[in-house]
Every structure is written in structure tokens, then in C-alpha cells.
Amino acid sequence: MKLQDLQKKNIGLVLSGGGVKAMAHIGAIKALHEYEIYADAVSGVGTGAVIGAFYAKGMSFAQMLDFFKETPLFRYSFFSTNKPGLFDTEKYLYFMSNYFGKDTFEAMERRLFVTVTDLQKGIPKTINSGKLLLPLLASAALPPVFSPVTIDGMLYADGGIMNNFPIEVLSDELDVVIGSYTSGMKEIGKGKLDDPISLAKRTKRLMLHANCREKLCAVDILFRPKDLEYIKFSDDLAVEKAFMIGYEHASRYLKEYVRA
């Protein structure tokens, strides 16, 4: 498909979870805009849902990055006292509300779909209407670090537990679907799995990747930067690094796409 034709299509954008690595989504969106490619609808999960909401609202790339640089993720006063999680997810509501004028999906400039996991029924759920902020927090609330979020009397948590690449809500209604995936896997040495914590982390990542592996082939364009493997959560510059990796990868991809 020629670039001029792509620019005229109704486009959907799928954003995976990935924690700080999901900053690459912001870079990918920036690259798309430089080629005048804009999404009409966004489906996100985890940190990808938060970024998707910022994009759907029409925030600048600088504002998106500022949020993740300035929002305190682990704060002593946010420790949970009577909820099943180390940190009380709903205490982050204040920081989210500062970036959104109205707490509704309907106030967004683009259609937005947020995937969460219903912990009680054991099913993924897509939310695209009504209150916005609690579903966003729930979608990124990975147990057991962050407590589940109560919405209408039910407990919801990270949507990536069951669907880390929520393409389904977009596939049938749009001409083109573009995906940005930051939870890739690579082979690691046996020595990397020599303690319980490393083994648990590896197992979790394998589970997240398994529930979306086949769906990665269903998008028309897929951004999947390998260099994100070197991003460490504890790195003070991780937000900016992941953003640049995503931007450079998407820019290279689109440059080749235009040449084809």
C-alpha cells in the first residue's frame, strides 16, 4: 500500500503493555505523525492503555513523557494497608486526574478501548464508555505489586494478564491496524534463571507473550523494537531511552515502507 493511500485509511492502533518499555509507543506514534499517519481508534492495555488515553485525548508527546517522568510510581505513602497489593492503585487517581479534564471516554478526541482483567470471573473485558480513569488504573495494575481496582463492585487488574495485545475490538471496523508491541521475548542463558525471582519474572513474561503471539501476525504494520530488551526498570533515563528506541525503530520501518 502506498503512503498516500495509507494516509487516507481509517486506522486502528494497538498498544501492548510493557511498563517503562511501553514508552516506545510514544516514539512510534511520533514517527507515524511525521508521515502524516493518524489513528482513528486506539486499543490499549497496561501502560499502553494509559499512553493510548493520552493520545486519544490529543496530548503532546512532551506531555506524555512528562507524566511518566514526574509521576512517583513507588511512594511510601502509597503502600496498601487493607488491599491485596503492595501499593494502593487508587491512590494514583490524583495524578491521573491532573492530566484529564473530564473523566469520561466520551471526552476523548479519538475512540479508545481499554482492556482489563476481571479477576472474579477470570475473563478479559474491554471498556470504552463511561468513567475513564479507574479503568486506566485497573488496566495497568499488575498483581501483586499494585492492588486491584474496584469498578461497579467488581475487582479488575492488569488487562495484560489475559490479553496483552487487544486487537479484537479493532479488526472488523477499520481499514488498517497498526500494532506497537514492547513485550518481546529472546532466548536467554541458563545462568539467568538461577534464582526464584528471575525464574518468576521469566515465567510471567512468557505467559504475557503467549497470549498474543499469533495476533502479532494479524496487524498490517507491526512495530517491535528488539533494543528494548536492554531497558532496565531501575534506569533513571529509561523513559527517554525507551521513547527514542521506539521512535528510531518506527522511523526506520516507515522509511523502508515508503520505499517499497
Side-chain angles (χ1 to χ4, degrees):
M1 185 185 303
K2 294 182 178 179
L3 177 62
Q4 294 87 341
D5 295 328
L6 179 60
Q7 292 168 338
K8 297 175 183 178
K9 298 293 185 179
N10 291 321
I11 295 174
L13 180 64
V14 186
L15 305 177
S16 73
V20 71
K21 294 181 181 181
M23 300 306 106
H25 296 325
I26 304 175
I29 295 170
K30 184 176 188 295
L32 286 168
H33 279 209
E34 290 180 354
Y35 282 85
E36 298 182 12
I37 301 170
Y38 307 98
D40 300 282
V42 188
S43 175
V45 63
T47 309
V50 178
I51 293 170
F54 288 156
Y55 180 48
K57 184 180 183 296
M59 286 175 53
S60 70
F61 304 114
Q63 287 175 312
M64 296 183 199
L65 291 172
D66 284 345
F67 170 81
F68 291 103
K69 290 176 181 178
E70 297 173 1
T71 300
L73 191 56
F74 303 119
R75 175 180 284 189
Y76 179 78
S77 60
F78 287 0
F79 273 120
S80 177
T81 55
N82 58 356
K83 293 183 178 181
L86 295 177
F87 293 89
D88 186 342
T89 304
E90 294 186 40
K91 289 185 178 180
Y92 295 88
L93 190 62
Y94 168 78
F95 296 96
M96 294 289 290
S97 63
N98 287 338
Y99 284 78
F100 292 91
K102 295 183 178 179
D103 181 16
T104 66
F105 280 84
E106 289 73 18
M108 299 293 99
E109 297 178 4
R110 293 177 170 86
R111 285 177 294 162
L112 175 65
F113 302 85
V114 173
T115 295
V116 297
T117 295
D118 185 326
L119 290 175
Q120 294 170 253
K121 294 181 180 179
I123 58 173
K125 179 178 180 179
T126 299
I127 303 176
N128 65 343
S129 63
K131 294 291 186 179
L132 169 67
L133 297 185
L134 284 180
L136 282 183
L137 288 173
S139 187
L142 180 64
V145 179
F146 298 102
S147 66
V149 175
T150 301
I151 302 175
D152 296 330
M154 302 294 288
L155 289 176
Y156 294 95
D158 188 350
I161 295 171
M162 303 195 73
N163 188 353
N164 200 39
F165 198 67
I167 187 177
E168 298 85 354
V169 294
L170 300 179
S171 300
D172 297 331
E173 59 179 73
L174 295 150
D175 302 319
V176 175
V177 176
I178 299 173
S180 182
Y181 184 71
T182 63
S183 301
M185 297 300 302
K186 68 175 182 178
E187 184 176 343
I188 62 175
K190 185 178 179 181
K192 297 287 186 179
L193 301 173
D194 58 358
D195 65 85
I197 295 177
S198 297
L199 183 61
K201 288 182 178 179
R202 179 65 173 178
T203 303
K204 183 197 77 173
R205 292 190 64 191
L206 287 171
M207 293 171 63
L208 290 176
H209 183 59
N211 73 32
C212 59
R213 185 169 51 192
E214 294 182 0
K215 292 188 289 183
L216 296 176
C217 300
V219 296
D220 300 285
I221 293 175
L222 177 65
F223 300 129
R224 190 179 180 182
K226 295 181 180 180
D227 290 345
L228 290 174
E229 293 290 342
Y230 303 102
I231 294 291
K232 295 182 179 180
F233 190 80
S234 58
D235 188 341
D236 292 337
L237 301 177
V239 170
E240 194 68 36
K241 287 181 179 178
F243 164 75
M244 287 305 302
I245 288 172
Y247 171 72
E248 291 170 358
H249 172 80
S251 296
R252 288 193 300 269
Y253 185 108
L254 292 170
K255 186 177 181 179
E256 291 301 318
Y257 184 92
V258 171
R259 286 178 179 175

